[in-house]
Amino acid sequence: MIELKGGKTAPRLLEDLDNYDPRRPSILGCNLLINLPRQHEDDELPTTISRHKNQCRHQWDLKDSQCHLPLIIGRPDPKEVSSVAAFCKHCRCHLKLAIDFPSGGASPCPSEEFPLHHFIYRAEESDPRIKSAVSAKIDPYADWEELLSFQCSTTECSAKLRMHMRSPHLRPEWIDLLTNKGLIKLRAEKAMSEDPARFEGHAVPLPSEVLSNLRTYILNALREDNRRTISAHNKRWLLCLGDACAELLRYIGFVREDDSWLVPPADTSAAVPITNPINVLLEDVEKELLALLLQRPDDEKRASKVQYGLTSASQYLAKALGTENYDRNPSSRTYTSLEEEHPFYPTLGAKLDFRDDLIKFAYERQLMSDPEGTPYYLQALQGIAAGRNSEDLQTCVAIEASSGKVSANDIRKAYRALGLDLGSDYLDDDHIIGTFQSRAADSPRQEPDLRRALQIVGQHRSSQSIQSMASKTITNLEQALSWLGATDDMDDHFVVAMYKVKEDENPAEEATARHAVSLIAQHRNSGALKQWLETGVLGEVEMDVGQAYNRLQIDDRTIDDSFVLATFELNYQEAPSQADDLRSALRAIAKDRKSSLLNNFLNRNMATANYPLAEWPVGLRNIGNTCYLNSLLQFYFTIRPFRELVLDFDAHKRDATTNKITETTIGSRIVSKQEIQRAQKFVCELQRLFQAMITSPTVSVEPELELARLTLLSQPAEADIRRSSTISGNRPSLGEINGRPVIGPLALPMSNIAENTTNSDNRAPENGIESSEPTLLGNDPAEEGTDLEMPDLIPEQSIERSQKQPVVDDKENLPPSEASTELSNVSESVLSPLLKAPPSQTVEQRPSTETDHKPLDLHEPNNTTDAVIEPPGRPPPYPPRPQPEENKDKIIRQEIQMGAQQDVTEVISNVLYQLECAIEATSFDPSGEQVDQIKDMFFGKSKSHTQNPRGGLETKEQFFSYLFVDVASGPKTIYEALDGAFDVQQVQVDGTFQPQYSAISQLPPVLNILVQRAQYDQKQSSAFKSVNHLELEETIYMDRYIDSEDKDLIQRRAESWDWKRQLRQLEARREDLTQSELKMDASELLDTTAGCLEELSKEDDLDVTAGLQEAIREAAMESKEELDSINTLIKNLTTRIRSQFVDRRKFPYRLQSAFIHRGTASSGHYWIYIRDFKQDLWREYNDETVAMVTDTSQIFDEDKSPGKPATPYFLVYVRDDLKDELVDPVCRDIPEEPETQTAVMNDVPDHFGEAYGAPVQDGQAMVNGTSPFFSI
């Protein structure tokens, strides 16, 4: 059974609206307004959406005060929103229909080209059948309520139609109170019996009088300015209503005060159309009372003397939808119900009275809006053409058939001709083709008819192989593979083998077989197959993926692509002569993984990029785990004001002389002179790099080690690393434990070292020396209950333990001494704390004993507490020698490796902080915080608004340099992620939880967004990376996050927060219903339980409670209905939330950079995509390689490659109006060298250029043999 998704012409929709009764849905479960007749894949007619026997045929009358009626004469005004509010005089349900043209409507329907609106249902903007439990917030007594949205499908008309229908306000029990003569009599007689004298001469009122009196009270409330009071003892009130109707009266708005009733507080000055909820409710109830009066017997109506002036809404509904004057078929008869109409008409969204040209218009619109339903719409057109015997429509059918379209009837006949079951789930192309071949072989004379049937089946299934078999032609890869009986994953050897099989079976088809192989060779770009076609000898065949991994000596097939590249290069370096074989292996792995990284590498290394150096950005070589650093430096280089500030640093440099430094606050802390000097050194290093990136005649440059260190390490982090001494090239040896050397900082002298080093059993130490290893090992201070602080490491100092005496290797850096004497009685010594000294100087310790406290210099190789220091017997040593340059580089590289482990935010904050430290302030804010070019460029301001326990609002404003978003809970859009930073949340204030939300008070020109992906698994006690997809937008609008007093914006935020709260509750409930250890939802579990009980009940000795199975199955059905309802509500709420701010577009920001990471929480590879707005393209910056992005899906779409997908980690958006001023990716000024040839970019290193046969020009080789493949 097929569900069609086409639309409806306006007359069809209006006709269905008159027949649509939500109280009594179609017996097929369809919604008459939004569904077309269902189609069956058999010879039956399309099924009409049958009406319920008690379904109401609506007669709509106006609710004048709630309407903004369209003009009866003239065309619709696209600038006006027309609305028609009506109620049905029979069933009393309410309707509000509104139509507007949000895009201006260049040529609203009806027009010459489009004679009618053709409305498509918009499920994402609708809330069909909202039940009372859900809509309780709107109206606690509502039985049902529907919001349906439609949009005109024609290209020149932007009409949007909204229908709001709801059930009557008056409940059945209330109507019974007002119209049941018995109940009215009881009320009246009770009142009379309580005061007979007062009610003497009064009769029991008729139902029409009761209805009329209540209606009069409501009309007076709507018309009179002063709010009236009605005495609870009023005789007419008591006889007609009284306390028995109190619930109804309170619902309408009456309020009981002592012995009086206050009438509802209507706004009598409200303009039309009224929107005040009280006025709307009163008018709705008044119209329902009028409808009930009209249903009373004539004698009652005459007695009530009520004026029944009603205005039909039909002409206004027709005018609003543009259906008042459409061309009708003169020969069509009048009809009033769907049963009189053939189902083909509603299938096309048409009506029986349409002229032929409108039938064709409806057919064309259905094909445009629902191409998959073409066979069924064509069948409907065929049926109508035949039924009308219309030559015009039959010609249209013939034209459609000649264009290749087939009707549903033709499809059924084709399947039947081939003996196939159209509804079977087990049909595949091979089975269909085999059936055709066997039937054609059995009945050669029927082959033409069978081939035509096969062609129709191929069109229906969109199968190239079936259509190829039917037409005996091969035009594309799918047909070629199908004809040969091959698949795309078969290698070239197999393709040639299948060719030979075909040739042996039928030598006459040799040309067709060769053509098929040619198509496959072209698609694969297979040199082996092309060589076979030319020479008959198969060339080098693509390697099998298993062989490829073995060839590259890779055992773990789950490693990252970057490690595959690294392994590839290692293999090449060991065997350059095998480059072709290695490349074949890499290509096979790239194909198997569908890896864009590996394919891009192979493609770049197969051909010259041909980008002129002067017109293309320069790459940055990786100097060891610096791929993130390279990405960050590339980003900053493309921000023109930042680049110009660095290049013109001298003009902005802060005066760092002692007498010029004043207390400067950056990031809420005072900056020291040392920080300023370090920061200025950093900017100078950055300036050198930027100048090289502009003037270099090569495709890539190498950042200096010092720049990498200063960028990745902040001054506090650098001090911590050096203090911990974990990176020193000459760390002190602290002896051995269990035969393993212990490497660490110098011993930590403590006054209680003797206590810490005394053996617990008081045994004498071996060799007479007290072991200090427990202290020197740095037993965890937390475990030992101490608070230890590590001293700075003394460079170039190494201590070894040998027998009974320590030996100092580098004596030239120590004071002169005589020949050493044996160190004894150490166990009796107590060492005092280290004296304060700079880390570059020798640190002294003061030993003490129980009897003597003379100073002891531990730097003397041999010393005792009784030793006498004698004058030196030799000249002083040479001054300390400077460290070798290679040793300094080694230390810096080790520091860089430690810095590479810093958090992304720490590195970015360090860069911005150092820039601010290095330059002069332009001003200061009221708190004393420095304001400068960096703050103006990258920093915004946010305000947090917190409600205090007293009900007041406290506001705090602060700078921010990036927004922090999270995707841990699941995939999100960029707006959903940003919402998490600004939505209302509960925070603790003075011991109570209070609401708090944030908003942006000042937007920065360059907006940074950090995506938090590193998460911690409490159960596994380990970190992991969240790879949930973040759906990026090329343009985002920040209006919704602006701190503003705009009441509409504030209201929208509050609504959005409330919807999200509801959404969280619904999602939690859905999780309750769907999560189980058996991986079944609640309804499936209950169904399974009922089935088990049914099986158990068949056992003779087991008694199952009667009705239990039915009760469980009923619970299963209720659970399924609840889950379906929740899914619908979640979808609708999500749509509401996502569309809440779509019209707020004053603050657009464009995506400029996306930092991408592939790997785990602790390792992986970074690269960056940067937008060039002037050239309207994206570039990929991957260390030394800068390539143009030809498919932006690799930026915006989810990476579904297996293993560790690439994910955005850091995003940069820039103000749309400033993007050309802010962003300038290409800045090259290469000095001319007369003897140097014009360089052309080629990302291929020298040795790979030779291996791939690609020429390498001067200036294109990789510098110092640095490899791009270890970018981790």
Side-chain angles (χ1 to χ4, degrees):
M1 187 178 291
I2 304 299
E3 182 178 355
L4 300 178
K5 299 178 182 178
K8 297 185 179 186
T9 61
R12 174 80 265 160
L13 187 62
L14 197 54
E15 173 73 17
D16 290 344
L17 177 63
D18 289 342
N19 290 284
Y20 176 57
D21 188 349
R23 301 171 306 164
R24 299 177 178 90
S26 162
I27 59 176
L28 295 177
C30 298
N31 187 313
L32 181 62
L33 282 177
I34 63 180
N35 296 125
L36 297 176
R38 292 187 178 182
Q39 309 297 312
H40 290 267
E41 301 199 13
D42 51 30
D43 289 333
E44 296 178 7
L45 290 175
T47 305
T48 306
I49 302 178
S50 303
R51 294 174 55 196
H52 193 281
K53 62 180 181 179
N54 295 322
Q55 183 174 326
C56 179
R57 169 77 178 181
H58 301 303
Q59 289 188 27
W60 302 108
D61 288 302
L62 288 179
K63 297 188 290 185
D64 308 75
S65 301
Q66 300 178 39
C67 298
H68 187 279
L69 297 173
L71 297 175
I72 295 298
I73 301 174
R75 286 179 55 73
D77 184 355
K79 298 179 182 178
E80 290 287 335
V81 178
S82 299
S83 61
V84 180
F87 74 102
C88 175
K89 65 175 65 176
H90 300 308
C91 68
R92 296 175 291 106
C93 71
H94 297 269
L95 165 71
K96 185 161 187 180
L97 182 148
I99 186 166
D100 67 341
F101 302 86
S103 301
S107 180
C109 300
S111 63
E112 254 184 67
E113 185 178 0
F114 303 108
L116 292 171
H117 285 297
H118 180 259
F119 288 110
I120 303 293
Y121 174 61
R122 296 299 183 196
E124 69 276 7
E125 300 174 8
S126 304
D127 286 331
R129 290 311 306 268
I130 304 176
K131 296 182 180 179
S132 58
V134 179
S135 60
K137 184 176 179 182
I138 302 172
D139 184 347
Y141 303 104
D143 291 325
W144 55 264
E145 184 175 5
E146 286 195 331
L147 300 171
L148 303 178
S149 181
F150 302 84
Q151 185 153 6
C152 184
S153 69
T154 60
T155 54
E156 298 298 322
C157 178
S158 61
K160 182 171 284 190
L161 175 67
R162 297 178 183 85
M163 293 183 185
H164 183 187
M165 298 185 70
R166 62 151 297 140
S167 60
H169 293 277
L170 297 179
R171 291 177 173 178
E173 60 267 27
W174 294 344
I175 295 174
D176 203 33
L177 284 171
L178 299 175
T179 60
N180 187 309
K181 291 183 178 181
L183 293 177
I184 295 172
K185 183 179 179 182
L186 285 174
R187 289 201 303 272
E189 288 179 348
K190 180 184 177 184
M192 293 175 184
S193 65
E194 290 175 353
D195 194 348
R198 186 164 178 254
F199 286 95
E200 186 177 355
H202 285 76
V204 175
L206 295 169
S208 59
E209 292 179 89
V210 176
L211 295 169
S212 179
N213 284 332
L214 179 56
R215 180 170 176 262
T216 301
Y217 290 131
I218 292 173
L219 288 173
N220 289 338
L222 287 168
R223 294 169 182 169
E224 296 177 359
D225 293 336
N226 296 324
R227 190 177 182 186
R228 291 185 58 194
T229 301
I230 303 171
S231 172
H233 302 292
N234 180 289
K235 289 187 288 185
R236 185 172 63 171
W237 179 271
L238 284 172
L239 291 173
C240 293
L241 301 169
D243 291 341
C245 298
E247 184 184 17
L248 164 62
L249 295 170
R250 289 192 179 94
Y251 172 77
I252 298 172
F254 287 85
V255 178
R256 179 71 180 262
E257 286 190 354
D258 299 328
D259 288 339
S260 300
W261 284 89
L262 284 175
V263 300
D267 183 1
T268 58
S269 62
V272 175
I274 59 173
T275 56
N276 183 306
I278 296 177
N279 289 42
V280 171
L281 173 62
L282 290 174
E283 185 178 19
D284 285 356
V285 174
E286 183 268 325
K287 296 300 183 185
E288 291 183 35
L289 293 171
L290 185 56
L292 291 171
L293 277 167
L294 289 171
Q295 296 169 14
R296 301 307 302 167
D298 290 341
D299 56 340
E300 282 192 33
K301 288 190 282 188
R302 284 193 297 270
S304 64
K305 299 178 181 180
V306 175
Q307 299 295 323
Y308 302 107
L310 291 174
T311 304
S312 172
S314 298
Q315 63 174 333
Y316 294 101
L317 290 171
K319 180 61 182 177
L321 270 62
T323 67
E324 72 278 15
N325 294 318
Y326 69 88
D327 290 337
R328 290 171 170 82
N329 186 357
S331 62
S332 66
R333 59 187 175 88
T334 305
Y335 63 95
T336 59
S337 67
L338 285 173
E339 282 79 9
E340 298 179 13
E341 214 175 16
H342 194 287
F344 283 151
Y345 287 99
T347 295
L348 292 183
K351 284 182 63 179
L352 177 64
D353 63 356
F354 276 16
R355 295 176 69 99
D356 287 354
D357 56 342
L358 288 182
I359 295 290
K360 288 193 289 184
F361 167 76
Y363 168 75
E364 290 167 358
R365 299 316 301 166
Q366 294 295 64
L367 262 59
M368 183 282 304
S369 57
D370 183 21
E372 292 183 2
T374 297
Y376 302 95
Y377 300 128
L378 181 56
Q379 179 179 338
L381 184 64
Q382 286 175 338
I384 294 173
R388 289 188 172 193
N389 196 22
S390 167
E391 184 178 341
D392 192 17
L393 292 181
Q394 288 174 349
T395 301
C396 180
V397 169
I399 292 173
E400 292 295 275
S402 67
S403 67
K405 295 185 179 72
V406 291
S407 71
N409 221 12
D410 294 334
I411 292 172
R412 285 192 287 270
K413 290 178 181 177
Y415 275 86
R416 196 175 295 119
L418 293 170
L420 301 171
D421 180 7
L422 177 58
S424 173
D425 295 330
Y426 303 103
L427 285 181
D428 58 25
D429 290 359
D430 290 340
H431 178 74
I432 292 171
I433 292 173
T435 301
F436 161 76
Q437 290 173 332
S438 63
R439 285 189 170 240
D442 293 341
S443 305
R445 292 183 180 181
Q446 296 181 6
E447 182 177 347
D449 294 334
L450 292 171
R451 198 171 289 281
R452 280 192 294 271
L454 186 66
Q455 183 70 37
I456 292 173
V457 172
Q459 291 175 357
H460 174 243
R461 298 174 66 89
S462 301
S463 169
Q464 292 287 346
S465 59
I466 294 177
Q467 293 182 61
S468 172
M469 176 60 68
S471 62
K472 285 189 174 180
T473 58
I474 301 174
T475 59
N476 55 41
L477 174 68
E478 289 77 14
Q479 293 174 350
L481 291 169
S482 174
W483 193 88
L484 287 174
T487 58
D488 197 24
D489 58 352
M490 294 178 178
D491 63 21
D492 293 349
H493 281 298
F494 194 88
V495 171
V496 173
M498 293 306 296
Y499 163 85
K500 293 178 179 178
V501 170
K502 284 288 185 181
E503 186 182 32
D504 292 341
E505 288 178 351
N506 189 355
E509 293 184 334
E510 179 189 0
T512 305
R514 289 186 65 83
H515 178 58
V517 174
S518 176
L519 287 173
I520 296 171
Q522 291 173 16
H523 175 79
R524 294 183 176 183
N525 193 23
S526 169
L529 287 179
K530 290 177 181 178
Q531 180 177 331
W532 177 83
L533 288 167
E534 293 175 2
T535 66
V537 178
L538 190 64
E540 178 190 353
V541 179
E542 182 177 303
M543 191 177 296
D544 175 73
V545 67
Q547 296 174 333
Y549 279 108
N550 290 334
R551 181 64 187 84
L552 293 181
Q553 301 176 28
I554 296 175
D555 296 326
D556 182 5
R557 297 193 183 188
T558 64
I559 64 173
D560 287 343
D561 293 347
S562 55
F563 287 103
V564 173
L565 282 177
T567 307
F568 170 76
E569 190 201 32
L570 289 174
N571 278 274
Y572 171 79
Q573 291 173 347
E574 292 175 1
S577 61
Q578 300 178 15
D580 289 340
D581 194 37
L582 294 170
R583 186 182 63 198
S584 296
L586 187 62
R587 187 177 301 282
I589 294 173
K591 180 179 179 180
D592 178 65
R593 291 184 171 214
K594 298 179 181 178
S595 166
S596 57
L597 177 66
L598 300 181
N599 281 318
N600 287 342
F601 168 79
L602 287 163
N603 292 337
R604 283 197 296 266
N605 286 283
M606 285 297 294
T608 303
N610 292 325
Y611 297 126
L613 281 177
E615 300 173 11
W616 202 253
V618 69
L620 296 177
R621 290 191 284 277
N622 194 305
I623 56 177
N625 290 0
T626 57
C627 53
Y628 174 71
L629 170 69
N630 289 344
S631 299
L632 189 65
L633 295 174
Q634 290 283 19
F635 155 62
Y636 283 127
F637 183 82
T638 63
I639 303 299
R640 178 190 287 164
F642 184 96
R643 184 176 67 225
E644 292 175 348
L645 173 66
V646 171
L647 293 173
D648 194 22
F649 174 50
D650 290 342
H652 306 280
K653 186 175 182 180
R654 187 193 301 273
D655 191 343
T657 57
T658 305
N659 58 344
K660 291 291 184 180
I661 292 180
T662 58
E663 289 190 353
T664 299
T665 301
I666 299 175
S668 301
R669 70 185 183 89
I670 297 175
V671 180
S672 68
K673 178 182 177 181
Q674 289 77 14
E675 286 180 305
I676 293 173
Q677 292 171 339
R678 185 184 194 273
Q680 291 180 347
K681 180 181 180 183
F682 160 72
V683 179
C684 289
E685 292 289 343
L686 187 60
Q687 184 185 65
R688 289 177 58 192
L689 176 68
F690 281 5
Q691 289 169 344
M693 293 171 72
I694 294 171
T695 60
S696 173
T698 60
V699 297
S700 62
V701 298
E702 183 173 304
E704 294 291 339
L705 291 173
E706 183 65 8
L707 173 61
R709 183 179 69 83
L710 294 171
T711 305
L712 295 173
L713 283 177
S714 63
Q715 188 176 33
E718 181 182 351
D720 288 343
I721 290 173
R722 292 190 172 182
R723 185 157 43 246
S724 67
S725 76
T726 58
I727 63 169
S728 172
N730 296 310
R731 290 177 288 183
S733 171
L734 305 178
E736 296 180 354
I737 289 184
N738 296 330
R740 296 184 179 182
V742 179
I743 304 298
L746 284 175
L748 185 65
M750 298 288 292
S751 60
N752 60 348
I753 191 171
E755 297 176 9
N756 291 338
T757 58
T758 302
N759 294 323
S760 59
D761 56 1
N762 295 322
R763 287 178 297 176
E766 295 180 7
N767 302 325
I769 299 178
E770 187 73 54
S771 172
S772 60
E773 287 177 358
T775 301
L776 296 176
L777 275 174
N779 290 342
D780 193 341
E783 296 177 3
E784 297 296 323
T786 60
D787 185 12
L788 306 182
E789 182 177 352
M790 296 301 230
D792 289 343
L793 175 66
I794 302 173
E796 296 300 312
Q797 186 170 348
S798 177
I799 301 176
E800 294 182 1
R801 175 169 302 180
S802 175
Q803 296 180 356
K804 296 183 180 181
Q805 62 180 27
V807 179
V808 179
D809 292 334
D810 187 4
K811 300 183 178 63
E812 293 182 353
N813 288 325
L814 298 178
S817 64
E818 287 287 336
S820 301
T821 60
E822 184 171 317
L823 179 62
S824 61
N825 299 325
V826 177
S827 60
E828 299 177 1
S829 300
V830 179
L831 302 182
S832 298
L834 283 172
L835 298 176
K836 292 184 178 179
S840 59
Q841 298 177 4
T842 302
V843 181
E844 295 180 350
Q845 287 179 304
R846 294 191 293 109
S848 63
T849 65
E850 296 176 359
T851 59
D852 193 0
H853 295 276
K854 289 194 297 182
L856 172 65
D857 192 345
L858 287 183
H859 294 295
E860 291 293 344
N862 296 298
N863 210 339
T864 68
T865 54
D866 298 323
V868 178
I869 301 177
E870 299 180 0
R874 60 178 178 177
Y878 293 108
R881 291 171 294 187
Q883 293 183 1
E885 194 65 31
E886 58 189 29
N887 201 30
K888 286 185 178 179
D889 283 355
K890 182 178 179 181
I891 293 175
I892 292 176
R893 285 185 184 276
Q894 290 174 324
E895 289 182 345
I896 291 172
Q897 295 303 312
M898 295 295 292
Q901 307 304 317
Q902 299 297 305
D903 185 78
V904 171
T905 58
E906 293 176 349
V907 177
I908 294 174
S909 299
N910 182 44
V911 171
L912 298 182
Y913 179 75
Q914 290 191 98
L915 258 295
E916 288 194 89
C917 288
I919 63 177
E920 291 284 2
T922 56
S923 63
F924 297 89
D925 76 353
S927 68
E929 178 75 13
Q930 171 174 310
V931 179
D932 47 51
Q933 293 96 321
I934 297 299
K935 270 205 171 60
D936 292 340
M937 204 181 315
F938 296 102
F939 285 74
K941 288 185 178 180
S942 66
K943 281 186 180 178
S944 62
H945 301 272
T946 310
Q947 182 175 309
N948 59 39
R950 300 174 298 280
L953 198 64
E954 298 178 358
T955 301
K956 179 182 179 182
E957 186 177 51
Q958 59 186 7
F959 284 104
F960 70 88
S961 59
Y962 59 85
L963 298 178
F964 186 90
V965 301
D966 191 1
V967 291
S969 59
K972 293 182 180 179
T973 66
I974 183 66
Y975 286 116
E976 289 169 343
L978 284 169
D979 287 350
F982 297 99
D983 281 353
V984 67
Q985 57 183 327
Q986 295 294 318
V987 298
Q988 196 166 20
V989 180
D990 296 337
T992 63
F993 284 95
Q994 300 293 336
Q996 180 190 77
Y997 75 93
S998 298
I1000 298 176
S1001 55
Q1002 177 180 312
L1003 280 165
V1006 180
L1007 178 65
N1008 294 333
I1009 300 174
L1010 172 67
V1011 185
Q1012 173 62 21
R1013 292 197 176 275
Q1015 307 292 333
Y1016 188 77
D1017 187 337
Q1018 297 286 352
K1019 294 181 179 179
Q1020 301 293 330
S1021 298
S1022 62
F1024 70 95
K1025 175 188 171 184
S1026 169
V1027 296
N1028 290 321
H1029 179 54
L1030 178 62
E1031 184 180 327
L1032 303 182
E1033 297 282 350
E1034 193 156 348
T1035 303
I1036 60 174
Y1037 299 89
M1038 300 298 293
D1039 305 60
R1040 65 188 71 184
Y1041 308 116
I1042 297 298
D1043 189 61
S1044 170
E1045 296 182 359
D1046 183 341
K1047 292 183 179 179
D1048 177 63
L1049 179 61
I1050 294 172
Q1051 177 64 26
R1052 292 196 197 191
R1053 279 181 187 154
E1055 290 175 351
S1056 178
W1057 294 339
D1058 186 53
W1059 293 338
K1060 290 174 185 175
R1061 178 187 57 77
Q1062 296 178 42
L1063 188 62
R1064 288 192 294 271
Q1065 293 173 349
L1066 288 169
E1067 288 173 338
R1069 178 57 180 159
R1070 180 171 66 179
E1071 186 173 353
D1072 290 342
L1073 292 173
T1074 56
Q1075 299 296 323
S1076 71
E1077 293 182 0
L1078 298 177
K1079 297 183 179 179
M1080 293 191 292
D1081 62 36
S1083 64
E1084 292 171 334
L1085 283 170
L1086 289 168
D1087 267 335
T1088 303
T1089 303
C1092 290
L1093 284 176
E1094 185 175 355
E1095 293 296 323
L1096 291 172
S1097 65
K1098 297 176 183 179
E1099 300 292 334
D1100 296 335
D1101 56 346
L1102 185 64
D1103 183 22
V1104 178
T1105 304
L1108 181 58
Q1109 297 174 45
E1110 289 73 13
I1112 294 176
R1113 291 199 186 278
E1114 185 177 345
M1117 181 63 69
E1118 291 175 356
S1119 175
K1120 185 178 186 305
E1121 290 175 354
E1122 182 185 5
L1123 185 58
D1124 292 342
S1125 175
I1126 287 174
N1127 286 330
T1128 301
L1129 289 171
I1130 287 175
K1131 179 181 177 182
N1132 293 334
L1133 277 173
T1134 302
T1135 301
R1136 284 185 183 181
I1137 293 167
R1138 291 183 178 180
S1139 60
Q1140 180 74 336
F1141 301 97
V1142 291
D1143 57 333
R1144 293 274 180 163
R1145 298 192 167 199
K1146 291 184 180 178
F1147 300 99
Y1149 274 69
R1150 301 285 295 277
L1151 182 62
Q1152 187 264 341
S1153 292
F1155 290 69
I1156 308 296
H1157 177 265
R1158 183 192 299 277
T1160 66
S1162 58
S1163 65
H1165 178 61
Y1166 280 97
W1167 68 95
I1168 185 173
Y1169 296 107
I1170 297 179
R1171 179 72 186 273
D1172 188 330
F1173 294 106
K1174 291 181 181 177
Q1175 298 190 33
D1176 191 24
L1177 57 84
W1178 284 89
R1179 296 185 182 91
E1180 176 187 342
Y1181 295 70
N1182 197 334
D1183 288 334
E1184 56 272 276
T1185 300
V1186 182
M1188 184 170 67
V1189 175
T1190 57
D1191 181 8
T1192 56
S1193 65
Q1194 60 188 286
I1195 305 173
F1196 294 95
D1197 292 357
E1198 182 178 5
D1199 180 8
K1200 296 185 178 180
S1201 59
K1204 305 175 181 69
T1207 53
Y1209 233 99
F1210 194 80
L1211 307 170
V1212 181
Y1213 282 85
V1214 297
R1215 267 178 53 177
D1216 183 58
D1217 59 328
L1218 298 178
K1219 63 181 183 298
D1220 293 331
E1221 300 172 30
L1222 291 169
V1223 182
D1224 182 28
V1226 182
C1227 181
R1228 302 295 294 270
D1229 184 13
I1230 304 171
E1232 294 185 4
E1233 298 183 12
E1235 297 182 1
T1236 302
Q1237 298 179 0
T1238 303
V1240 178
M1241 285 193 69
N1242 181 353
D1243 297 329
V1244 187
D1246 287 350
H1247 50 278
F1248 284 114
E1250 296 168 0
Y1252 298 146
V1256 180
Q1257 301 181 21
D1258 292 341
Q1260 295 174 296
M1262 199 164 56
V1263 177
N1264 297 329
T1266 303
S1267 167
F1269 305 113
F1270 291 99
S1271 307
I1272 299 171

